[in-house]
Amino acid sequence: MTYAETLDYLFAQLPMFHRVGPAAFRKDLTNTLALCAALGNPQNRFRSIHVGGTNGKGSVSHMLAAVLQEAGYKTGLYTSPHLYDFRERIRINGEMVSEPFVIGFTERVRSLIETIQPSFFEITVAMAFSWFAEQEVDIAVIEVGLGGRIDSTNIITPLLSVITNIGWDHMNLLGDTLEAIAAEKAGIIKKGVPVVIGQWQGASSEVIAGRARELEAPALIAGHRWGVRTVGEAGATRDIEIYDRYADEVATLSLDLTGVYQEENARTAWTALQELRRQGFTISDAAIQGGFSQVKRLTGLMGRWEQLRQEPLLVLDVAHNKDGLEQVRRQLRTLRYYRLHLVFGMVRDKEAETILPLLPSADRYYFTQAHIPRALPVSELQASAASEGLQGDAFEHVDDAIEAALSAAAPDDLVLVCGSIFLVAEVDRARFTKA
């Protein structure tokens, strides 16, 4: 098969969560274990860091990978979903997995695929682990896909686990209380393996800490020792200080991820890096500063308060759940703009009547949809929004919605695109990017 034929095969043969939603979610690790066993258990041939949580796990994963690269380690990075190219999911030192490997891997396991019928995510996890083992990475940062306990990535025994936070998302799969969701996220904790808890959130964090105690896993609570504050902002950077609450130690970092919510993510990654130093990794202050300042360049991260142009300011953000949208509202409170134009689309397995009241108050709304089966049709979204008192025009494609917003916007307005990772993935960045 060619590379394009290989992707067509994978997309067509395997249930994909981002296309069909919960029907693609497998409730055990059987298929992943079978795939990796047939491949010689590649997950046991490299060191790893496991990163879970409701929001921020992608940003923290990319931050850790960027710093480890700057420190001279050959660093694997597995994340999901991809925005433009399937190979974004699997990187080493920022470089995407090769097309020949994707083809060869798929052909190697094709008979097993057709026997056990794994999900798309189960295949990509096995593919990533095989690539990292074959390329002999020094360390791999592995982002949890969904939940934790029965996520396909949870067959690794990492050097360190990270749980960024607990919030409301995927309740139909993870539970209808924050404590139940926390229990699923805490499923990545392994016996004796330290775990970083990014944010202390009361009862849900107690669930995580309790699981850590059961497994004799040291729990490192980022906010208990380290404080964080923004000390400067420019268009392309956010300068922060991370300070030790109990000692005279302050680190100043310049982040190329400019969202105000990246303060918390940076502190979580910082805490993880201090633990890696304790474990013997050589990570200089210069590597930390260089990594945090070049996350996008080093790892290819997109979609986190991503500014495509100025006057009017055009921003993409993958916020799609309660906590993510709250982070966006917090970001908006730090900005000066005249009017807000909000381009929004969502998936059908999230309840519109729950999400729509959480949207930032905008002067104009532009409703649209991604072109995947899981997307909520724009006509239904527009009708639901109207019932919530939100009036806006409907557009079949996100690019058309953005064009309409830009045409209506004044130079000091803000155009924000959010609501679904898959909506952001369909934005033609080259069309809208201006220096």
Side-chain angles (χ1 to χ4, degrees):
M1 294 186 290
T2 65
Y3 177 66
E5 290 168 341
T6 299
L7 291 189
D8 287 343
Y9 171 78
L10 293 175
F11 293 164
Q13 294 294 316
L14 308 176
M16 298 173 64
F17 186 86
H18 89 257
R19 290 182 58 82
V20 303
F25 184 63
R26 301 301 173 87
K27 298 186 181 298
D28 60 51
L29 301 174
T30 302
N31 284 344
T32 309
L33 290 167
L35 284 165
C36 286
L39 296 162
N41 289 312
Q43 75 277 10
N44 298 331
R45 305 208 305 270
F46 56 86
R47 299 179 295 180
S48 61
I49 303 164
H50 208 183
V51 183
T54 300
N55 290 297
K57 61 183 184 291
S59 293
V60 169
S61 295
H62 285 78
M63 288 174 178
L64 290 174
V67 172
L68 288 165
Q69 287 172 225
E70 281 291 281
Y73 292 98
K74 187 175 185 179
T75 305
L77 176 62
Y78 176 74
T79 59
S80 63
H82 63 274
L83 290 182
Y84 292 103
D85 188 326
F86 164 77
R87 296 180 303 137
E88 294 168 21
R89 296 169 178 255
I90 306 170
R91 297 178 184 265
I92 296 176
N93 285 359
E95 294 295 323
M96 295 187 292
V97 61
S98 73
E99 292 184 3
F101 181 83
V102 174
I103 296 168
F105 176 89
T106 304
E107 291 176 342
R108 193 181 351 155
V109 299
R110 185 168 180 169
S111 62
L112 186 56
I113 290 174
E114 293 171 0
T115 299
I116 68 174
Q117 288 294 295
S119 71
F120 179 85
F121 190 77
E122 288 167 333
I123 285 289
T124 59
V125 167
M127 184 185 295
F129 292 172
S130 294
W131 181 240
F132 296 154
E134 178 181 299
Q135 295 298 307
E136 299 182 337
V137 298
D138 297 318
I139 184 78
V141 181
I142 309 297
E143 180 194 2
V144 171
L146 194 161
R149 180 177 62 88
I150 52 176
D151 185 75
S152 296
T153 62
N154 201 29
I155 65 170
I156 59 174
T157 300
L159 301 176
L160 175 65
S161 304
V162 179
I163 300 175
T164 57
N165 54 42
I166 303 298
W168 297 105
D169 204 10
H170 301 299
M171 290 86 79
N172 57 331
L173 299 173
L174 303 180
D176 58 4
T177 68
L178 289 178
E179 291 83 358
I181 294 170
E184 290 296 315
K185 305 286 186 184
I188 68 171
I189 301 173
K190 303 298 190 300
K191 186 173 179 61
V193 175
V195 55
V196 171
I197 300 174
Q199 296 178 33
W200 187 260
Q201 299 170 282
S204 58
S205 296
E206 289 285 2
V207 171
I208 298 170
R211 182 58 176 162
R213 286 192 295 271
E214 290 173 14
L215 295 174
E216 299 177 331
L220 312 170
I221 302 162
H224 281 194
R225 177 174 177 184
W226 303 102
V228 62
R229 58 191 169 224
T230 292
V231 294
E233 295 179 60
T237 60
R238 173 175 293 274
D239 295 333
I240 66 169
E241 286 183 346
I242 297 178
Y243 55 94
D244 192 329
R245 299 186 190 277
Y246 306 104
D248 186 20
E249 180 180 346
V250 179
T252 301
L253 303 174
S254 183
L255 310 181
D256 68 340
L257 303 179
T258 58
V260 64
Y261 53 83
Q262 298 295 357
E263 289 178 346
E264 292 282 357
N265 294 331
R267 177 170 62 183
T268 300
W270 168 272
T271 305
L273 291 165
Q274 303 315 304
E275 170 58 22
L276 291 176
R277 279 174 158 177
R278 190 196 66 79
Q279 292 188 24
F281 281 76
T282 302
I283 305 171
S284 67
D285 291 346
I288 290 177
Q289 291 167 345
F292 276 110
S293 68
Q294 303 176 83
V295 174
K296 291 188 287 188
R297 184 184 70 79
L298 291 170
T299 69
L301 180 63
M302 297 178 285
R304 275 70 171 182
W305 202 258
E306 182 181 356
Q307 300 182 22
L308 295 190
R309 62 188 290 171
Q310 305 288 329
E311 295 185 350
L313 179 62
L314 172 60
V315 176
L316 311 181
D317 198 282
V318 295
H320 60 280
N321 57 27
K322 180 179 182 296
D323 290 335
L325 290 169
E326 172 53 38
Q327 290 173 347
V328 165
R329 291 199 301 272
R330 180 184 170 202
Q331 178 74 32
L332 291 173
R333 289 194 290 269
T334 71
L335 301 178
R336 298 181 65 182
Y337 56 87
Y338 182 52
R339 293 181 302 174
L340 174 61
H341 301 255
L342 184 62
V343 178
F344 181 79
M346 60 184 293
V347 293
R348 63 168 69 247
D349 49 279
K350 297 186 188 297
E351 297 178 354
E353 62 270 23
T354 301
I355 296 296
L356 287 168
L358 303 174
L359 292 182
S361 178
D363 296 275
R364 294 186 65 172
Y365 295 90
Y366 307 76
F367 300 112
T368 185
Q369 67 181 77
H371 290 82
I372 58 172
R374 190 180 163 204
L376 180 65
V378 66
S379 58
E380 295 181 28
L381 174 60
Q382 186 184 36
S384 295
S387 69
E388 298 290 339
L390 307 178
Q391 302 295 328
D393 295 328
F395 299 85
E396 287 297 318
H397 197 284
V398 63
D399 286 347
D400 295 333
I402 294 172
E403 284 285 9
L406 291 174
S407 296
D412 54 354
D413 286 354
L414 167 60
V415 177
L416 172 63
V417 183
C418 69
S420 166
I421 293 171
F422 314 109
L423 186 74
V424 171
E426 293 187 6
V427 175
D428 183 350
R429 280 169 171 75
R431 176 174 171 181
F432 298 112
T433 300
K434 283 190 175 181

